[in-house]
Amino acid sequence: LKKEMKNAARAQEYEKAARLRDQTEGLENIFAHRMLLEKPFHPRHRGPDANWTEIQRIIKQTLEISSPISRVEGYDISNISGESATGSMIVFVNGRPDSSQYRMFRIKTVRGANDVAMHKEVIRRRLNHPEWPYPDLMVIDGGQPQLNAVRDVIAKIPLVALAKREEELYIPGHSKSTRLRSLPHGTEMFFRHVRDESHRFAKKYHHKLRELTYRNAHNHE
């Protein structure tokens, strides 16, 4: 599916490429959640914000930070071979999503499918808004390359990268990544929730821009 998607994008068949991408992401999402589906439901598992005090403690311990964590921001990039590229910023406060503080970014300075550079642009533009409260933790989609790029932009804000496919956390100063499933259930679910929400929001805005581009192109035929 990924090979077909790339071929369609090269041929500028963007609608076909988008459909193939959606199918691929759907399959990846099923595999990513297979372990969760196998876990028995228990009433105490009320969601990722069921026990924020404990989740916060585990995150601080895992990332080796001492400052309190209240506001967590998640970031993701959505594009097809660089076309109509977008970035998302979602916000969780004390373990709960606050959609009123979500923000969208249309990628302006990066050409082509350069996810690392796009992350860097989004974070730089976000930090140019001091009127938005600064986060206690940033969670970006990606691995070590994305982590390194964003670290060049931010100074003192705690940061972690979360790779979708490998289901691993990349932490500054750590030589090895941390598997999500190795974390306590509540903390694992919180990181999954942040990742899924940032991905959903970025994809939603990308689809909107793609539809506008497609409509404008047909209007000028």
Side-chain angles (χ1 to χ4, degrees), residues 144 170-177:
Q144 196 67 50
Y170 290 82
I171 303 167
H174 288 215
S175 59
K176 293 184 179 180
S177 59

Side-chain angles (χ1 to χ4, degrees), residues 5 34 37 48-49 53 62 76 98 101 130 135 142 147 161 176 186 202:
M5 180 184 72
R34 68 188 184 279
L37 294 172
D49 59 341
T53 301
T62 304
D76 196 6
D98 183 353
Q101 300 191 65
L147 181 70
K176 293 184 179 180

Side-chain angles (χ1 to χ4, degrees), residues 130-166:
E131 72 276 14
W132 302 347
Y134 283 134
D136 302 306
L137 173 65
M138 284 182 167
V139 181
I140 62 170
D141 172 62
Q144 196 67 50
Q146 287 80 5
L147 181 70
N148 292 340
V150 173
R151 283 183 71 188
D152 289 341
V153 179
I154 66 174
K156 299 180 180 179
I157 300 173
L159 172 70
V160 64
L162 173 52
K164 287 193 190 82
R165 186 169 302 179
E166 293 85 1

Side-chain angles (χ1 to χ4, degrees), residues 46-63:
R46 294 177 294 162
D49 59 341
N51 186 353
W52 179 244
T53 301
E54 177 62 13
I55 292 171
Q56 178 186 189
R57 185 185 70 80
I58 297 298
I59 293 175
K60 290 168 63 177
Q61 177 180 306
T62 304
L63 274 57

Side-chain angles (χ1 to χ4, degrees), residues 7-214:
N7 291 337
R10 289 194 194 100
Q12 297 186 348
E13 297 175 350
Y14 297 122
E15 291 301 310
K16 180 180 179 181
R19 288 196 300 272
L20 291 168
R21 185 200 61 182
D22 292 345
Q23 292 176 35
T24 303
E25 290 179 347
L27 288 171
E28 289 180 339
N29 193 48
I30 290 172
F31 287 118
H33 289 81
R34 68 188 184 279
M35 295 302 295
L36 296 179
L37 294 172
E38 291 170 1
K39 291 180 179 179
F41 173 79
H42 193 283
R44 69 184 178 88
H45 293 153
R46 294 177 294 162
D49 59 341
N51 186 353
W52 179 244
T53 301
E54 177 62 13
I55 292 171
Q56 178 186 189
R57 185 185 70 80
I58 297 298
I59 293 175
K60 290 168 63 177
Q61 177 180 306
T62 304
L63 274 57
E64 297 179 355
I65 57 178
S66 58
S67 55
I69 300 173
S70 175
R71 180 186 176 95
V72 177
E73 294 179 358
Y75 295 85
D76 196 6
I77 302 294
S78 184
N79 73 94
I80 300 176
S81 298
E83 294 293 323
S84 301
T86 64
S88 68
M89 180 188 100
I90 58 96
V91 178
F92 279 62
V93 178
N94 294 329
R96 297 177 181 272
D98 183 353
S99 59
S100 68
Q101 300 191 65
Y102 288 11
R103 298 292 183 268
M104 300 174 177
F105 300 86
R106 184 170 187 169
I107 301 301
K108 298 178 179 180
T109 64
V110 182
R111 297 293 176 265
N114 189 336
D115 183 83
V116 172
M118 290 178 187
H119 266 296
K120 200 168 184 177
E121 177 190 325
V122 168
I123 299 301
R124 184 181 292 112
R125 287 167 57 188
R126 183 267 176 266
L127 295 176
N128 285 334
H129 288 277
E131 72 276 14
W132 302 347
Y134 283 134
D136 302 306
L137 173 65
M138 284 182 167
V139 181
I140 62 170
D141 172 62
Q144 196 67 50
Q146 287 80 5
L147 181 70
N148 292 340
V150 173
R151 283 183 71 188
D152 289 341
V153 179
I154 66 174
K156 299 180 180 179
I157 300 173
L159 172 70
V160 64
L162 173 52
K164 287 193 190 82
R165 186 169 302 179
E166 293 85 1
E167 298 273 288
E168 293 175 329
L169 291 173
Y170 290 82
I171 303 167
H174 288 215
S175 59
K176 293 184 179 180
S177 59
T178 299
R179 300 285 292 182
L180 268 188
R181 70 179 65 177
S182 71
L183 300 174
H185 180 74
T187 308
E188 174 191 2
M189 289 300 297
F190 173 73
F191 278 117
R192 289 181 184 275
H193 196 180
V194 171
R195 177 199 62 191
D196 292 347
E197 186 67 356
S198 58
H199 180 65
R200 179 196 67 78
F201 196 56
K203 186 175 177 181
K204 177 182 177 181
Y205 185 39
H206 174 67
H207 283 181
K208 181 180 179 180
L209 289 183
R210 195 181 68 213
E211 289 171 4
L212 288 173
T213 302
Y214 180 78

